[in-house]
Amino acid sequence: GSGIASEAIPVRTEPPAKLMQGLDREAPATVVSLNQPSLAAEISGRITAIQVRSGDSVSAGAVLATLDCSDRQTRLAVARSNLARLDAQLAFARAQLERAKNLRQQRSISEEVLDQRAREVKTTIAERRTQLLNIEQAQRDVGRCRIEAPFDAVVLQRLAQVGALANPGTPIVELLQRDGAEVRAKLRSDDLG
């Protein structure tokens, strides 16, 4: 009986995980691109054009810069011309082989002449295969006269000037991939959960 009435205070209990849900944590973080390459020349040549400026958005495959390609285009044309010559030579060698086979059946020529005609066909076929490889290489070289975006990107900066001589490895344009970014944050070990 002191005269003070004690009232019951209602208490509610919650699991600790529910109480921690509203707490925010902060950690220093940055968004970085997975790819930020400086695209370089793969061949030697004078830079004839740079088609982009800093800040431009480009799609994968877009031509960013071009190098003078006249020598490489000439080599490609010569390689194709040599292939046409070898095709004509092969047609002639095959015709000669067929004549030699007919003459051999009539015993008008020796086995040695027939073997020589067969060898000419095989040699020309081998030369033709080599020429096809030369054309393939020349086409790749012509393709290297254009520097293309490997993915959708933003141009960060131009690293070379029109008219400058580029050598293999000379940086031309720096890109930043538009997609494929990741967040890098510094966390404390007790924040990892």
Side-chain angles (χ1 to χ4, degrees):
S2 67
I4 299 178
S6 64
E7 294 183 25
I9 300 174
V11 176
R12 187 178 67 172
T13 60
E14 297 285 343
K18 188 171 182 182
L19 294 174
M20 299 294 285
Q21 282 180 352
L23 296 179
D24 288 332
R25 286 258 164 88
E26 291 186 15
T30 55
V31 177
V32 293
S33 175
L34 295 176
N35 291 304
Q36 186 176 333
S38 293
L39 298 183
E42 294 183 52
I43 58 171
S44 295
R46 188 136 335 259
I47 300 170
T48 58
I50 300 178
Q51 287 91 332
V52 294
R53 296 177 184 235
S54 297
D56 285 354
S57 287
V58 294
S59 298
V63 177
L64 307 175
T66 53
L67 304 176
D68 178 24
C69 207
S70 54
D71 290 346
R72 285 167 182 80
Q73 288 169 335
T74 299
R75 282 188 212 117
L76 178 57
V78 168
R80 286 179 174 155
S81 176
N82 284 336
L83 180 63
R85 179 187 54 79
L86 286 168
D87 284 342
Q89 185 176 328
L90 181 57
F92 179 73
R94 284 180 171 155
Q96 290 288 84
L97 177 59
E98 287 306 311
R99 282 189 209 111
K101 285 178 182 178
N102 290 336
L103 291 172
R104 181 65 190 137
Q105 286 176 352
Q106 299 168 9
R107 301 197 185 275
S108 297
I109 62 168
S110 67
E111 189 72 31
E112 182 180 344
V113 172
L114 180 62
D115 289 345
Q116 181 181 359
R117 298 292 181 251
R119 188 174 58 251
E120 288 169 359
V121 169
K122 288 179 182 178
T123 301
T124 306
I125 288 171
E127 288 175 6
R128 188 179 186 285
R129 284 187 192 131
T130 299
Q131 197 57 37
L132 286 171
L133 293 173
N134 289 339
I135 289 172
E136 187 178 313
Q137 180 62 51
Q139 287 172 329
R140 275 196 305 272
D141 287 346
V142 167
R144 289 182 178 126
C145 294
R146 294 183 332 206
I147 298 167
E148 298 177 354
F151 40 70
D152 294 345
V154 174
V155 177
L156 290 182
Q157 61 180 326
R158 291 169 50 154
L159 301 170
Q161 300 297 319
V162 172
L165 180 63
N167 290 307
T170 300
I172 307 291
V173 177
E174 184 178 9
L175 298 180
L176 178 68
Q177 186 174 8
R178 281 195 300 227
D179 52 3
E182 68 181 12
V183 175
R184 291 190 184 162
K186 295 183 180 184
L187 300 173
R188 298 187 324 226
S189 59
D190 56 331
D191 287 337
L192 294 178

